């Protein structure tokens, strides 16, 4: 059974950092596209970052480029999101997701390629 379990969320002041983790089970995270998405109350879901199989081609939303880093750990079968220089607009529920593709593709940020989703972890950034 495929499971994605996020952790690492919390409350932090603007300028601070958090590291989100997504533990995968039921499949090998190294052979699929994995992504992070977020959704704030009253807003649409937004693609934050994605990484293709084998840790290739990390890609980011313009709003987080230079501040967030997505990475994959084959030994832990996990994917991480290091978030630095956090801003209040980064607040929201963060979800880990899996797409059964080698490459994430140009439309990854729509979320449509992703069939498996975690329950989310909450991030709150105060000004």
């Amino acid at each position: 059974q495929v499971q994605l379990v996020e952790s690492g969320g919390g409350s932090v002041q603007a300028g601070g950092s958090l590291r989100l983790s997504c533990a995968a089970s039921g499949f090998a995270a190294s052979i699929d596209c994995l992504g992070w998405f977020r959704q704030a109350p009253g807003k649409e879901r937004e693609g934050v970052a994605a990484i293709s199989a084998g840790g290739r081609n990390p890609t980011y939303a313009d709003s987080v480029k230079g501040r967030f880093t997505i990475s994959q750990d084959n030994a832990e079968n996990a994917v991480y999101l290091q978030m630095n220089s956090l801003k209040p607009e980064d607040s929201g529920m963060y979800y880990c997701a899996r797409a059964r593709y080698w490459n994430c593709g140009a439309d990854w940020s729509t979320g449509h390629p992703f069939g498996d989703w975690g329950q989310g972890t909450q991030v709150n950034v105060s000004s």
Side-chain angles (χ1 to χ4, degrees):
Q1 182 180 359
V2 171
Q3 275 195 318
L4 297 164
V5 180
E6 303 93 336
S7 62
S11 296
V12 65
Q13 287 192 328
S17 298
L18 285 172
R19 186 185 189 226
L20 305 184
S21 299
C22 174
S25 59
F27 71 101
S30 61
I31 65 171
D32 287 326
C33 163
L34 297 170
W36 284 98
F37 294 79
R38 66 187 180 191
Q39 188 166 21
K43 293 189 177 181
E44 292 189 355
R45 182 182 64 197
E46 175 188 17
V48 175
I51 192 164
S52 294
R56 298 176 301 112
N57 301 329
T59 185
Y60 302 92
D62 287 343
S63 58
V64 306
K65 279 181 182 175
R67 300 188 297 121
F68 289 13
T69 302
I70 187 171
S71 61
Q72 188 183 64
D73 187 324
N74 293 341
E76 296 294 326
N77 207 36
V79 63
Y80 305 99
L81 186 69
Q82 177 66 45
M83 306 187 296
N84 299 329
S85 301
L86 283 161
K87 304 175 181 180
E89 52 263 42
D90 293 320
S91 297
M93 186 70 78
Y94 280 69
Y95 299 92
C96 174
R98 169 214 187 191
R100 298 186 185 188
Y101 299 104
W102 187 256
N103 288 310
C104 291
D107 65 340
W108 70 269
S109 63
T110 66
H112 295 156
F114 296 85
D116 299 298
W117 295 79
Q119 294 300 305
T121 185
Q122 182 69 38
V123 172
N124 295 314
V125 184
S126 58
S127 57

